[in-house]
Amino acid sequence: MPATSSNPFGLHQNQRRSLLAATSGLLLPAWAHAQAAWPSRPLRLVVPFAPGGSSEIVARAAAAEISKTLGQNVFVDNKPGAAGNIAMQEVAASTDEHTLILGHIGTLAVNPFIFPKLPYDVNRDFTPITLLSKVPSLYVVHPDLPIRNLAEFITYARSKPGQLNYGSAGNGSAGHLAFEYLKMVTNTFMVHVPYRGTGPMLTDLMAGRLQAAAVGAPALLPFIKAGKLRCIATGTAQRLPQMPDVPTVAEQGFKGFEMTQWYGLMVPSRWAKPHIAKFEAEAVKAARSAAVKDKLAQETALAVGNTGAEFDAFIKAEQARWKPVIDRAQIKPEGMG
């Protein structure tokens, strides 16, 4: 056969097919290796909060376990600011496929409704990987208050409408939501005092400048055990084994009430689907591992480890649950009144 521009070597059709197959066979292992090589360097898990507290405990427990089987280290990078929006925007815009974020009730189910415009879309720009953990919210009061349980607290608050102050880590924080939810179901009126973080808020609560708060269990247990704070109810569906004598809100007359903070892994939706699938498999395995369960249990946190699809459905359900609470409480971000 004479050579042509489309067949410069004058090969017969069968010869061309054989050459193509041989060439493909040479290229395939390289392509497969490139796919299998992901991740090619350590992964950066961004935590949109300051160091310390439940978020870091959950993030580090998961990162350590995922690192064991993924073939690369997963390191935690705290990047607080603007109610988590700074970190969320950065990760949404990342293109390296090695940057992910710790999602949270605030960034995923609250911020979309309290900020008039976000520089990212929670449901479009991120892909849920797994719900790592639920952290029980505890309702606590200063020990000088003449109350021992939720019923007495409600009676006391109703007798002093607007005279009791409760604190939170900031507008739209999990503690803010938790207390507004309690106010809504108990029909009580108390004044919200936002702080810049849980630490300074707890300082004022224990000093008596605040009367009450709702905070994740890990940060509160030491102070409750020391008698510096009194826990009047847990936001969990069942009593906590660490505090068997403290009844839940639901047990105390408000059936179906549940308030937990929650944390899960999210990656930018632009990640390649095989990489998302690979990471999800390792993350779910890590979240369900005995090592993570034991570590979180020590901090009164509950390990979950559901699938990406289940976590996606959970996020949407939480968004639907919290929108009316946010609207009723007229929760606004810091600096917006």
Side-chain angles (χ1 to χ4, degrees):
M1 178 181 291
T4 66
S5 59
S6 61
N7 185 18
F9 301 108
L11 298 174
H12 290 288
Q13 187 175 17
N14 288 341
Q15 290 175 310
R16 292 203 307 272
R17 286 175 179 167
S18 297
L19 180 61
L20 180 61
T23 305
S24 299
L26 290 172
L27 294 176
L28 185 59
W31 177 85
H33 177 74
Q35 290 295 307
W38 185 92
S40 59
R41 61 181 184 275
L43 270 65
R44 174 182 170 228
L45 171 54
V46 179
V47 175
F49 307 102
S54 303
S55 60
E56 189 167 25
I57 291 167
V58 172
R60 291 192 181 281
E65 195 63 22
I66 295 171
S67 297
K68 293 178 182 178
T69 58
L70 193 61
Q72 289 286 351
N73 185 41
V74 181
F75 67 93
V76 174
D77 184 11
N78 293 90
K79 196 175 184 71
N85 289 331
I86 292 175
M88 291 287 283
Q89 182 180 4
E90 179 186 323
V91 175
S94 68
T95 59
D96 63 1
E97 293 206 18
H98 287 73
T99 302
L100 58 145
I101 197 160
L102 185 73
H104 173 252
I105 181 175
T107 55
L108 302 179
V110 178
N111 289 0
F113 305 116
I114 70 173
F115 286 91
K117 188 176 181 181
L118 290 173
Y120 58 87
D121 186 307
V122 165
N123 299 318
R124 182 194 66 212
D125 296 338
F126 293 92
T127 296
I129 296 297
T130 184
L131 177 63
L132 289 174
S133 177
K134 291 183 177 182
V135 176
S137 289
L138 305 183
Y139 291 89
V140 295
V141 297
H142 188 275
D144 285 351
L145 260 62
I147 57 173
R148 293 285 169 182
N149 53 50
L150 184 59
E152 292 179 1
F153 180 66
I154 293 169
T155 300
Y156 188 72
R158 287 176 179 170
S159 71
K160 301 176 182 292
Q163 296 180 47
L164 300 183
N165 297 325
Y166 81 89
S168 81
N171 283 331
S173 66
H176 187 188
L177 280 181
F179 223 98
E180 288 299 329
Y181 189 27
L182 184 71
K183 284 169 59 178
M184 184 174 75
V185 301
T186 60
N187 192 29
T188 52
F189 171 49
M190 285 164 272
V191 178
H192 174 228
V193 182
Y195 285 75
R196 293 191 179 278
T198 300
M201 184 277 292
L202 287 177
T203 298
D204 274 7
L205 176 59
M206 288 184 284
R209 289 184 281 272
L210 298 169
Q211 284 73 53
V215 183
L220 286 180
L221 281 181
F223 302 116
I224 294 171
K225 291 177 179 177
K228 295 180 179 179
L229 294 172
R230 179 180 300 139
C231 186
I232 57 172
T234 71
T236 46
Q238 291 86 30
R239 295 193 186 196
L240 295 175
Q242 296 88 345
M243 306 174 65
D245 297 330
V246 179
T248 67
V249 173
E251 280 184 275
Q252 299 184 73
F254 301 94
K255 188 176 179 180
F257 185 100
E258 184 174 0
M259 176 63 215
T260 56
Q261 299 182 38
W262 46 266
Y263 301 91
L265 295 175
M266 310 286 287
V267 303
S269 296
R270 68 180 78 225
W271 276 27
K273 288 184 178 179
H275 299 169
I276 291 176
K278 180 177 181 179
F279 185 69
E280 179 183 332
E282 297 303 330
V284 170
K285 190 193 309 178
R288 295 175 178 175
S289 69
V292 169
K293 287 182 179 179
D294 291 346
K295 175 61 178 174
L296 296 184
Q298 292 171 19
E299 305 291 345
T300 327
L302 311 170
V304 181
N306 59 11
T307 66
E310 290 168 337
F311 187 24
D312 184 50
F314 176 83
I315 292 169
K316 288 180 170 58
E318 285 288 278
Q319 289 172 344
R321 179 159 79 109
W322 290 112
K323 188 177 185 301
V325 178
I326 292 164
D327 290 343
R328 180 183 182 275
Q330 297 184 334
I331 296 174
K332 304 291 182 185
E334 300 289 349
M336 293 187 64

